Amino acid sequence: MEPSATSSSDAFRVSTTIMLPETGAQSTASNATRSQYNPSSAGVTMTLGILFNVAALVILTKAYNRFRRRSKATFLLFASSLVATDLAGHVITGALVLSRYSTVAEANLSGDPRNPDASCLVLGGCMVFFGLCPLFLGCAMAAERCMGITRPLLHARLVTTARTKMILSLIWFLALLVALLPFFSLGAYTYQYPWTWCFIKVMEDTTPQDLVFVTLFCGLAWSCLAMAFVCNTVSGITLVRARLWKKTCSRHCSARSHDTEMVVQLVGIMVTSCICWSPLLVIGLMSATRFRSKSLSADVENYRLLMVTGVRMATCNQILDPWVYILLRRSVLRRIYRFTKRQASFKGSTFRSFRWDAGSFQNAEKHSVKKI
């Protein structure tokens, strides 16, 4: 069975057919294929991501200035860095993708998956870098909060603003190091269907180095999500126990309320990351493994469509992250709680008045019957 070679040659033949100016049936096919290169969805995603991340960054900056000398300052510094990284990812990768779309629309030239150019390599590196950074930062935030809740004295002694900035630098450096590995012959970046964006090479003639690279990328992502899950679980259990065993102390309760707010936000980040990144991680690893073992036959087109869907869901993570901080704040949750409570009490009073009116009507009817 050697279906992968046939599939890759057919795909390359299709892409070269699109590149050549033809007439008749081939021109119709070219027009139909050109309709796939609509940049509107990429433009809308980029615009929404920029607007939401800017709004969240403003909120976090104000909160950081207010809590500069408290334990929440470290968490806010991590969160601000995460939102700023997401914002930079939307601007840089969005600009590269839109540039690629404009090139395809003007020159009718789709990328060659076998010979990626310099812009494809840069775009692929940006996708990996800005994909790993939020996962690394979410994991670091969860670990920092877990230490702050379970070992507050140790946290106060070890975690400082200078060390937090050093950890942020190490996180960005590690993500950059992983993104640059294909430039040192470990793995490769290539054009992905519909040949307008670039990512890790997981289809068509994958090598052992490609399989190692995609395994490293997926392994790091899953490890970050797993560690964030463990830390958030420990933090949540500790807070629940503290609430069950707490004594009346306003200062203690205020500190615990801040911890609860941060853990709720971290859980929101973790759930969002799991939902958005799981499809791309699973599909990328499966496709690389099956292409390498030559067991992928007629499912090539399905895997290409799944890869496109997976990367779109991963992009949504950078759009949804800001909403975690915008919506899951104490002030917003308090307003939602009060509004819900007010609506519930209003419905209850309406129901009670309706019962009173119905009972009054029945008593008045009985009274009139007695008079008759």
Side-chain angles (χ1 to χ4, degrees):
M1 293 177 62
E2 297 181 0
S4 59
T6 305
S7 303
S8 60
S9 61
D10 291 341
F12 182 70
R13 197 178 299 116
V14 171
S15 63
T16 52
T17 303
I18 296 172
M19 283 189 256
L20 295 175
E22 301 288 345
T23 59
Q26 289 185 351
S27 178
T28 303
S30 177
N31 293 332
T33 305
R34 192 183 308 170
S35 64
Q36 298 175 351
Y37 307 135
N38 186 3
S40 59
S41 60
V44 170
T45 301
M46 177 181 175
T47 304
L48 291 177
I50 292 174
L51 292 177
F52 296 157
N53 280 282
V54 167
L57 192 59
V58 171
I59 294 172
L60 287 169
T61 302
K62 292 181 178 179
Y64 179 73
N65 292 329
R66 190 167 67 252
F67 295 99
R68 183 183 294 273
R69 294 186 179 181
R70 301 185 187 181
S71 61
K72 193 177 180 180
T74 305
F75 174 83
L76 292 173
L77 183 58
F78 273 119
S80 302
S81 302
L82 173 59
V83 173
T85 304
D86 286 341
L87 177 61
H90 272 291
V91 173
I92 296 175
T93 58
L96 292 173
V97 170
L98 290 177
S99 175
R100 188 64 207 173
Y101 271 112
S102 62
T103 302
V104 171
E106 292 175 3
N108 197 20
L109 293 174
S110 60
D112 182 1
R114 292 186 175 182
N115 298 304
D117 53 11
S119 63
C120 176
L121 299 179
V122 173
L123 178 57
C126 289
M127 294 282 286
V128 171
F129 175 78
F130 290 111
L132 286 177
C133 278
L135 300 176
F136 288 163
L137 289 170
C139 178
M141 292 164 66
E144 184 270 336
R145 265 306 83 205
C146 184
M147 179 186 290
I149 293 173
T150 58
R151 297 289 185 272
L153 297 179
L154 181 63
H155 178 272
R157 188 170 68 251
L158 295 180
V159 180
T160 61
T161 302
R163 289 175 178 173
T164 302
K165 293 179 179 179
M166 186 183 300
I167 293 173
L168 289 172
S169 301
L170 289 175
I171 287 173
W172 287 324
F173 176 76
L174 178 59
L176 180 62
L177 184 64
V178 175
L180 291 177
L181 287 179
F183 295 93
F184 298 96
S185 302
L186 181 60
Y189 298 122
T190 186
Y191 282 102
Q192 305 286 338
Y193 178 84
W195 326 123
T196 53
W197 63 287
C198 296
F199 195 58
I200 301 173
K201 186 177 181 181
V202 294
M203 298 182 189
E204 284 102 19
D205 304 326
T206 54
T207 62
Q209 291 82 3
D210 297 328
L211 186 58
V212 170
F213 184 49
V214 71
T215 304
L216 174 65
F217 176 80
C218 296
L220 288 173
W222 283 119
S223 299
C224 290
L225 293 174
M227 186 173 178
F229 175 79
V230 172
C231 292
N232 289 331
T233 302
V234 173
S235 300
I237 293 174
T238 305
L239 287 176
V240 170
R241 287 179 176 176
R243 284 208 172 267
L244 292 176
W245 297 343
K246 71 178 181 179
K247 296 181 180 179
T248 56
C249 178
S250 59
R251 185 177 178 183
H252 183 268
C253 294
S254 176
R256 286 301 178 186
S257 63
H258 282 296
D259 289 334
T260 303
E261 178 190 18
M262 289 184 280
V263 171
V264 168
Q265 291 177 346
L266 286 174
V267 171
I269 295 172
M270 181 190 66
V271 172
T272 303
S273 299
C274 288
I275 294 174
C276 294
W277 274 98
S278 294
L280 181 61
L281 297 176
V282 173
I283 295 164
L285 190 58
M286 285 180 59
S287 60
T289 305
R290 296 191 66 182
F291 261 108
R292 187 60 194 158
S293 61
K294 308 294 183 183
S295 61
L296 198 62
S297 55
D299 296 335
V300 178
E301 294 300 326
N302 293 332
Y303 270 85
R304 287 174 179 164
L305 295 175
L306 288 174
M307 281 292 293
V308 174
T309 304
V311 77
R312 286 175 179 171
M313 291 186 64
T315 305
C316 290
N317 184 34
Q318 297 174 330
I319 299 176
L320 296 176
D321 273 345
W323 283 102
V324 174
Y325 308 107
I326 294 173
L327 295 179
L328 297 183
R329 290 177 295 152
R330 280 197 309 166
S331 57
V332 177
L333 293 176
R334 197 173 293 160
R335 290 175 186 173
I336 295 174
Y337 172 75
R338 289 174 180 174
F339 177 78
T340 306
K341 187 177 180 180
R342 191 182 305 118
Q343 293 296 321
S345 61
F346 175 75
K347 289 181 180 179
S349 62
T350 304
F351 179 70
R352 286 194 298 269
S353 63
F354 173 76
R355 290 181 59 187
W356 182 82
D357 292 339
S360 301
F361 176 75
Q362 291 177 359
N363 293 332
E365 189 178 20
K366 292 178 179 178
H367 185 66
S368 61
V369 169
K370 288 180 180 179
K371 282 186 177 182
I372 294 174

